[in-house]
Amino acid sequence: MQPAITLDDVAPLARGCAVLGTGGGGDVRSGALAAARAIREHGEVPLVTLADLDADALVVPLSGIGAPTVSHEMIHAEAEPDRIRDEIERLFGRPPAAVMSSEIGGSNGVAPVAWAARLGVPLLDADGMGRAFPEVQMVSMYVAGLPANLVIMSDVVGNVVTIRPVDGLWAERIARAVCVAAGSSALMADYVLTAREARGAVIEGTVTRAIAVGRSTDGAADPLAALRETLGAELLIGGKVTDVARRTAGGFVRGTVTVEGVAGDRGRTLTLEIQNENLVALEDGRVLAMVPDLITVVDTQAATAVQTEALRYGQRVSVLAWPCDPLWRTPKGLATAGPRAFGYDLDYVPVERSARVNGGTREAAR
Amino acid sequence: MQPAITLDDVAPLARGCAVLGTGGGGDVRSGALAAARAIREHGEVPLVTLADLDADALVVPLSGIGAPTVSHEMIHAEAEPDRIRDEIERLFGRPPAAVMSSEIGGSNGVAPVAWAARLGVPLLDADGMGRAFPEVQMVSMYVAGLPANLVIMSDVVGNVVTIRPVDGLWAERIARAVCVAAGSSALMADYVLTAREARGAVIEGTVTRAIAVGRSTDGAADPLAALRETLGAELLIGGKVTDVARRTAGGFVRGTVTVEGVAGDRGRTLTLEIQNENLVALEDGRVLAMVPDLITVVDTQAATAVQTEALRYGQRVSVLAWPCDPLWRTPKGLATAGPRAFGYDLDYVPVERSARVNGGTREAAR
């Protein structure tokens, strides 16, 4: 029997996507609500692999683009995926055969279930990031060298914008401008690719992985330990939030979060630098983890991810970090989404090395 | 013999377009250079009327969009009209049959000669404004009620953006954002319409009129009088520029110009409010002329138009004002491009009435 996303999968998928969202990617609750409603209305969503698709079948990578603080309050209207599908049919002469999440992290990992259900097509078990990233060109298709030759955007008002950019950076620049003009939120197809083109250019298995991450804490005696085990994550600090500075500008949330250690971490202070996602974790000027590796803040008791917008003074949190997909550690991957791509003058060091203190893991030092 | 735009027509067309540009629309010199070069390269450009075209023939209204201070330095690459033509063929299954100027005022009145020559199609003797206006929805097609369902933009980098807006105001908002992202300058097809749709929805004869305006001062003993005669224009003031305040922001040039009267106008002070174009002429808090009527600053000796960007302290200038096309005086015309559309809380009064002082024309009062 072909696997499918059922109503029971939505909650763990949402929890997993929140963890993979590294603080951004949009609040998973709105995506989960949309996914559950769409499954009730249209039925389960088949989950397919690239091997299940004809080589010429069109895969449409979809994502919401915009500031999470805004998209949290603007659920994409049902007509938006329809308008993108219509534009694809107009341009390619055939409709998309499958929807893919452009970004498994955050709401963009969950909402494609709703978009696929609505369009009556399967969801591809893959995405373009293996996490969340804030910019349009920060996708595996770009790193794999596929020409960024088509972006289709649809906003809540009903405007449809098609961009044929000269490259991924121009796609980002123009798409961001359109997004801000549309109220800092839009639905976007970034690349439309055949199954043949998708091979080696998408990160496979990430829907399945997100569900597994979400289920890992179910009934666990120590949810945090169970989550870390499934992720293979380092614990950077266990503490409480003592400062949150953030602002929404130019379509982004930017800010800094300070976590002071408690218990075994008392006396330590961790700082997180944020641009929609958690990008750099610092302690006394030393980098413990940095983008493109994943850094997520979780509730210490429940081990559920805490989005940047939900961080508040006094919260008890643990900060986890774990390795990104190997694609992001290639020279082009780092040029696209490494620390310098975000303006940090840092040489990338894999989290497996940077997060260790005195030769052991942080845990050993604690 | 079918009329055509020849090399000899380019200079008078440019002078006429500058006058109709009411201070904006882009410096005509770059458009004139492009037009002359294209005619040398591709030959004269046939000038056609709507009656010359098949009812289903596609007319593509083209214009440069952006801040004049920027477009002055960025001549649209030759490939830009080609890219728009290709996109039209892709979308409509046939190429455009004629190019139309979206805006006869300023560079956008002259440059279409180059674009038509380049594409090997005639120029339609019509435009969408009868003057220059700063915003995308301020065109006769919008006032005539044609759905603003397609905008195609091409920038110097090579990006092509197609917008299917829900209405003209959204077309303006998104196109402006794309334009700013592209460096505040792009080539744009706003509406693609059949000759049938164009009837009553464009302002006809304006290319011929611009050439006549440009030729009116040729060999005239009193160029200013000759120009006023051809335009049917009131003289608001003859004086010198004593202050120019302008800035480029959000894709627009905004500012204020002060002209102090000389000779018979000594002791009077006129203020011009500008948003790319001259919008309101004020004297002691009283409005002498306002948008959508045309207000142009000309050199007092040569009667050549002085663009907003070329205004300098001490220049001897005369400020002329004359009636707009009747289309702009309809309720929808005024809602689209009347004083309130630009943020001025003024009831529109036709220039024929507002420019008269003590029952006579300004000239009589002088």
Side-chain angles (χ1 to χ4, degrees), chain A residues 250-290:
Chain A
F252 288 112
V253 175
R254 295 171 199 273
T256 308
V257 171
T258 309
V259 178
E260 292 192 359
V262 297
D265 284 328
R266 190 170 302 279
R268 296 180 55 222
T269 302
L270 191 90
T271 306
L272 288 176
E273 294 292 324
I274 293 163
Q275 180 181 331
N276 283 17
E277 282 74 44
N278 307 316
L279 297 183
V280 180
L282 292 149
E283 179 175 8
D284 299 332
R286 183 173 162 263
V287 176
L288 295 187
M290 70 182 94

Side-chain angles (χ1 to χ4, degrees), chain A residues 10 19 37 43 51 97 126 131 177 196 231 260 273 280 329 335 340 342 348 361:
Chain A
V10 171
V19 170
R37 192 177 64 176
R131 47 164 296 158
R196 185 188 294 108
L231 293 170
E260 292 192 359
E273 294 292 324
V280 180
R329 294 181 170 186
R340 288 199 169 80
F342 295 93
Y348 173 68
T361 65

Side-chain angles (χ1 to χ4, degrees), chain B residues 126-148:
Chain B
D127 81 306
M129 298 184 182
R131 47 165 294 159
F133 276 128
E135 297 188 13
V136 168
Q137 83 283 4
M138 296 173 172
V139 288
S140 56
M141 294 80 91
Y142 177 77
V143 176
L146 289 186

Side-chain angles (χ1 to χ4, degrees), chain A residues 62-268:
Chain A
L62 289 176
S63 60
I65 172 175
T69 39
V70 172
S71 58
H72 181 41
E73 293 166 20
M74 281 171 76
I75 295 177
H76 291 296
E78 299 212 326
E80 287 171 71
D82 292 5
R83 283 194 209 97
I84 286 182
R85 190 252 333 267
D86 291 350
E87 196 70 14
I88 288 172
E89 276 205 66
R90 196 197 313 262
L91 295 170
F92 290 85
R94 61 193 198 277
V99 160
M100 184 182 90
S101 167
S102 298
E103 168 179 53
I104 195 69
S107 192
N108 279 326
V110 193
V113 172
W115 302 328
R118 165 98 193 165
L119 295 178
V121 299
L123 183 69
L124 184 65
D125 189 4
D127 82 306
M129 297 184 182
R131 47 164 296 158
F133 275 128
E135 297 188 11
V136 168
Q137 82 283 4
M138 295 172 173
V139 287
S140 56
M141 295 80 90
Y142 178 76
V143 176
L146 289 186
N149 51 11
L150 187 64
V151 173
I152 306 171
M153 300 174 71
S154 169
D155 65 28
V156 289
V157 178
N159 300 295
V160 177
V161 176
T162 302
I163 306 169
R164 296 185 186 279
V166 293
D167 61 30
L169 294 170
W170 276 101
E172 160 63 26
R173 191 182 297 194
I174 296 172
R176 187 69 49 188
V178 171
C179 169
V180 172
S184 285
S185 178
L187 181 64
M188 177 174 69
D190 182 17
Y191 295 83
V192 175
L193 58 167
T194 62
R196 185 188 294 108
E197 291 170 324
R199 287 191 190 109
V202 300
I203 302 177
E204 297 192 62
T206 50
V207 176
T208 302
R209 174 164 163 82
I211 295 174
V213 168
R215 289 210 195 282
S216 67
T217 52
D218 283 353
D222 183 345
L224 185 60
L227 178 65
R228 287 184 57 202
E229 170 77 20
T230 301
L231 293 170
E234 304 279 343
L235 174 65
L236 300 187
I237 196 168
K240 62 177 182 180
V241 177
T242 57
D243 195 38
V244 181
R246 62 175 171 244
R247 63 199 168 83
T248 302
F252 288 112
V253 175
R254 295 171 199 273
T256 308
V257 171
T258 309
V259 178
E260 292 192 359
V262 297
D265 284 328
R266 190 170 302 279
R268 296 180 55 222

Side-chain angles (χ1 to χ4, degrees), chain A residues 301-341:
Chain A
Q301 287 305 312
T304 50
V306 184
Q307 261 218 313
T308 302
E309 298 90 74
L311 286 168
R312 304 207 150 66
Y313 177 84
Q315 266 174 320
R316 296 300 169 114
V317 297
S318 294
V319 182
L320 306 181
W322 65 100
C324 62
D325 188 271
L327 173 127
W328 295 115
R329 294 181 170 186
T330 62
K332 184 152 182 204
L334 287 172
T336 303
R340 288 199 169 80

